[in-house]
Amino acid sequence: MQELWPPPSREVAEAIRSLCRRLLTETEALVEAFARPSLVAQNDPALLADASLVEEDRELNRSDLVQWLTANIQRPGRRVEPYVGPRTTAYINDLVSRGIAPDFADAWRVALGIGWRRWLEECVAHCADPGLLVGVLDVSAKSLAQYALDSVAALREAGLAAAMGNAGAEAIALIQLIADGAPMAEDLAEGRLRYRLARWHVGLVLWVDDPDRVDALDGAIPAVRAAAAGRSPLVARASATSRWLWLSGPDIPDLHHVEKVLATADEVRAAVGRPGHGLEGFRSSHQDALAAQALVTRLGSGRRFTAYADVELIDAVTKDRAGARRFVVNTLGPLAEADAALRQALLTYVQCGFNTTRAAANLYAHRNTVERRVSRANELSAVKVEDNPTHVAAALLVLDIAPGIVATGQS
């Protein structure tokens, strides 16, 4: 690459080399500091929703950091050529296939700001001589800024190359549009995917934490197909380390045999959505599976098989307002927007240990009135209190605290 500034003095070069060696031992802490802010700065909901892509983005950050530090140990203060290795290329190909276009320039702006602050702290702490400090900062600023520019350009070139050489990307791009909620005619989507949508679906996300175990991931797909005998599967490559699956049929698929098969698949993990019908069910079950994957990843869980229906309460509590709204609506159904007195009666009834007399006393209402309200509320609720009192009570508590959370257009 063409050098754009004079080489540093021997003293400055040695100082930069020493600083980079020190920071190389703090790689994980540095990546932790800027990975999430730079991810958010890319401003792409599809990227944020996919835990496997999030991990690939984090790995890209780690690779960029190590490349600059090691290059400055070898050739301090010089222009650093970005390294676009096979894993980065695969990641860019996956983004292009799914129509995901992150703002890499903004991501670099955020990461560079955080990284430069840490570099300044290290320079000030270990460069006692003012002249040496100025020399180090001068040349390292040039090197870092140019590295950011060159890296963004390299990612864009990789994206263009992927777009030109990815003729088979239509299906996954269409699936991404459906998953993102884009309006689409069901018959059009069926024709292009060659997959029937006017039936019941269960969405799954299969993934591995170690990119070197992708063979195990791809080997699990035929086993899942066999275990789901009689079901029509749709499989899509979502990223280098994850695959999206849908199993469909005229009735709700039973995943008992699939779970048993996946339990024997070495290092392969699975997240499963709730069943859904039609195009919307295809979408919602997939969103559930992504949410379950993100939950176990976010919490550092080692669970191999996670059904979103089993962890939705945890997800709602540990996520954002939109997640809480979704939990409330799916749990309470019509009750979420019914008379507040019905919800209060049911919540008090549960809190009083299913004792109508105690609930009536707490509500200053007649026992018969409370019984009628509790019965009516339970009729309206999607999940019945006798089936899952914990979920019902939690959803009612969310509504009690944030009564406007289910209003149309709220998130």
Side-chain angles (χ1 to χ4, degrees), residues 23-46:
L23 288 175
L24 197 58
T25 65
E26 302 177 20
T27 298
E28 291 309 312
L30 288 167
V31 172
E32 185 67 30
F34 59 71
R36 184 67 187 180
S38 66
L39 177 71
V40 173
Q42 291 176 62
N43 194 32
D44 197 299

Side-chain angles (χ1 to χ4, degrees), residues 8 80 82 90 98 141 169 212 240 254 294-295 306-307 348 358 379 386 408:
V80 176
R98 290 168 56 179
D212 293 333
D254 181 359
L295 172 69
T306 305
T348 305
R358 286 176 54 197
E379 288 176 5
E386 62 268 23
T408 303

Side-chain angles (χ1 to χ4, degrees), residues 30 202 204 332 348 397:
L30 288 167
V202 170
L204 298 91
L332 300 183
T348 305
L397 282 170

Side-chain angles (χ1 to χ4, degrees), residues 49-71:
D50 190 320
S52 293
L53 290 183
V54 168
E55 181 54 37
E56 291 305 301
D57 185 77
R58 184 184 183 87
E59 179 59 31
L60 179 59
N61 278 297
R62 183 184 292 108
S63 174
D64 286 339
L65 175 63
V66 170
Q67 173 72 356
W68 189 83
L69 289 173
T70 53

Side-chain angles (χ1 to χ4, degrees), residues 176-193:
Q176 185 65 61
L177 284 173
I178 296 172
D180 289 344
M184 190 165 303
E186 193 170 274
D187 56 348
L188 173 63
E190 280 189 345
R192 293 173 65 181
L193 291 177

Side-chain angles (χ1 to χ4, degrees), residues 129-150:
D129 178 74
L132 178 62
L133 176 61
V134 169
V136 169
L137 293 178
D138 177 49
V139 73
S140 58
K142 293 183 175 71
S143 180
L144 269 173
Q146 190 60 46
Y147 184 55
L149 293 172
D150 291 340

Side-chain angles (χ1 to χ4, degrees), residues 164-201:
M164 294 176 64
N166 209 344
E170 181 182 357
I172 186 62
L174 179 63
I175 289 170
Q176 185 65 61
L177 284 173
I178 296 172
D180 289 344
M184 190 165 303
E186 193 170 274
D187 56 348
L188 173 63
E190 280 189 345
R192 293 173 65 181
L193 291 177
R194 298 182 181 178
Y195 174 82
R196 287 185 60 189
L197 290 168
R199 47 172 45 194
W200 285 96
H201 309 275

